Amino acid sequence: MTTYNWDLIERLLHEVQNAAPSFTPRPYAEQYAAEKATEGEETENLDHLKAVAGEYEKLLLARGYIEPRPEEQGGTGSNYRLTMRGSRLLSLIDSSIPGNDHPRQVLDEQDDALDEVTFDEVASHAQIA
């Protein structure tokens, strides 16, 4: 069973959503770790967290959660935009939305929640949200 750091994925998806001029997951992982430390939470080893963020970028791109931003929309070749699947994922795991624990729990119960077929099936159930 594959487990994911939903908070880190949420952070990465928000950066994509906010149209970062250049998507750089390693500094986002640093910022994420600093925020967690400020909140008194422990995080994984920073180097490991940076590596995980880079792997998440590749995974989100390969599985259709993010895509390169077209040039006519400010694409630089190093920035992305959310796809419909990515928007659905963000809406399920967004910590600013009350009750996001249940969708995260349902996703955690899957063999690989970010597998495209699995995610699309799980996300299509109204009771998850």
Side-chain angles (χ1 to χ4, degrees):
M1 185 175 280
T2 304
T3 57
Y4 293 101
N5 179 332
W6 297 118
D7 289 336
L8 181 56
I9 289 174
E10 176 189 356
R11 174 63 184 251
L12 297 175
L13 292 175
H14 273 297
E15 293 296 339
V16 170
Q17 183 181 46
N18 294 334
S22 180
F23 186 80
T24 50
R26 293 176 63 84
Y28 302 145
E30 285 182 36
Q31 294 164 4
Y32 162 80
E35 289 170 6
K36 291 297 180 186
T38 301
E39 295 168 2
E41 294 182 37
E42 288 192 33
T43 60
E44 302 170 52
N45 172 287
L46 185 56
D47 289 332
H48 175 71
L49 202 56
K50 289 177 182 179
V52 168
E55 291 302 314
Y56 283 169
E57 175 188 15
K58 292 175 194 169
L59 181 79
L60 293 169
L61 183 60
R63 294 191 178 176
Y65 293 90
I66 61 176
E67 63 187 8
R69 183 172 298 283
E71 199 172 298
E72 61 272 6
Q73 293 180 8
T76 62
S78 62
N79 59 358
Y80 303 107
R81 67 178 179 182
L82 291 177
T83 63
M84 288 299 293
R85 182 179 289 138
S87 294
R88 286 196 322 259
L89 175 59
L90 183 56
S91 71
L92 288 176
I93 65 171
D94 195 331
S95 60
S96 68
I97 299 172
N100 77 321
D101 290 344
H102 180 258
R104 287 180 179 205
Q105 179 184 358
V106 171
L107 290 170
D108 283 339
E109 293 169 356
Q110 309 307 309
D111 284 335
D112 183 351
L114 294 182
D115 171 77
E116 302 95 310
V117 174
T118 301
F119 178 79
D120 290 346
E121 173 66 23
V122 170
S124 70
H125 297 283
Q127 67 270 21
I128 190 175

